[in-house]
Amino acid sequence: MQNDPQLWTAVDEYAEALLIGPDEALDAAREAADEAGLPPIAVAANQGKLLHLLARIRGARRILEIGTLAGYSTIWLARALPDGGTLTTLELDPAHAAVATANLERAGLADRVEVRLGPALDTLAQLIAQGTEPYDFFFVDADKATIPQYVEAALALASPGAVIVVDNVVRQGRLADADSTDPAVLGVRRLHELIADEKRLDATTVQTVGSRGHDGFTLIRVLEA
């Protein structure tokens, strides 16, 4: 009974109904993603709310998101910004970026969000080379094989005390499989090795179950930039 995905989903739905409720802009973003044929891999509503709360707790004024998809998580994060705050989100696929841009405009957030199109590592390198103002919150939700490089770039762009959230790191428990040859699993294992060796980072990884199945996230605090 406890290892029951239907039960996990029911718990998510119960908590979301009481603590989040319906939201026109977020619901429209999901519908637009479905209509455009985007993969159904956006964060769940309760996970979006968690990102929102973490960004607010951090007092984030500048947020960098790696992996936009349809902009669902982007909406949650952008709503956490204070007046004058900004969010930059990086997306590889032009079709995804177009859907996200429309969703952000519908949500009334286009004035505080920049969608940057292109390979994320290239964009990150440009931001570093430009000496852009540091960011104080990062959400990394892109291809897992490249996760260590994304986090290294985030560290180069972070202010002291910045928070980095990396999604989908448990991989249905395969994170613990030392014999895996899956590039995504190898990527998240390298991420953990990087964190363990990097004295400027303090982190934990939390397993989750819910409407998105068995997975988890890594929560990182940048001790010094």
Side-chain angles (χ1 to χ4, degrees):
M1 180 64 176
Q2 292 182 348
N3 189 21
D4 181 354
Q6 290 184 330
L7 179 61
W8 302 343
T9 298
V11 171
D12 273 3
E13 291 174 347
Y14 170 80
E16 289 165 13
L18 286 177
L19 303 181
I20 300 174
D23 186 296
E24 184 176 346
L26 290 168
D27 293 343
R30 285 203 183 279
E31 291 171 6
D34 291 342
E35 291 172 1
L38 272 61
I41 56 174
V43 299
N46 58 347
Q47 295 167 339
K49 183 65 176 289
L50 174 63
L51 292 171
H52 175 89
L53 291 172
L54 288 172
R56 293 196 68 181
I57 291 167
R58 172 63 182 94
R61 297 189 62 85
R62 284 176 55 78
I63 297 175
L64 181 62
E65 178 182 50
I66 304 174
T68 313
L69 197 62
Y72 184 82
S73 56
T74 319
I75 293 172
W76 275 112
L77 288 167
R79 286 177 171 178
L81 290 167
D83 291 342
T86 60
L87 186 154
T88 300
T89 183
L90 313 185
E91 177 54 50
L92 175 64
D93 191 310
H96 296 181
V99 174
T101 298
N103 284 335
L104 290 162
E105 290 175 352
R106 185 185 301 109
L109 297 167
D111 62 334
R112 67 183 66 182
V113 178
E114 177 189 15
V115 181
R116 295 191 60 158
L117 186 63
L121 287 179
D122 292 349
T123 306
L124 291 165
Q126 292 167 8
L127 291 171
I128 293 169
Q130 292 165 1
T132 190
E133 181 182 347
Y135 296 90
D136 42 34
F137 194 94
F138 300 80
F139 179 46
V140 184
D141 191 14
D143 57 298
K144 303 309 175 237
T146 318
I147 286 293
Q149 293 98 305
Y150 293 151
V151 171
E152 287 176 329
L155 180 56
L157 291 164
S159 60
V163 172
I164 305 170
V165 180
V166 186
D167 202 14
N168 306 129
V169 299
V170 173
R171 318 301 301 173
Q172 297 80 47
R174 289 177 290 159
L175 172 64
D177 183 1
D179 297 322
S180 177
T181 58
D182 183 334
V185 174
L186 294 175
V188 294
R189 286 178 63 86
R190 287 198 304 271
L191 168 66
H192 284 76
E193 293 163 3
L194 166 68
I195 295 169
D197 291 336
E198 177 53 75
K199 303 304 181 186
R200 293 173 293 174
L201 300 177
D202 191 19
T204 189
T205 291
V206 177
Q207 294 186 85
T208 59
V209 295
S211 59
R212 296 298 185 269
H214 174 204
D215 212 321
F217 62 91
T218 298
L219 179 63
I220 306 168
R221 181 170 180 260
V222 178
L223 300 178
E224 58 180 277

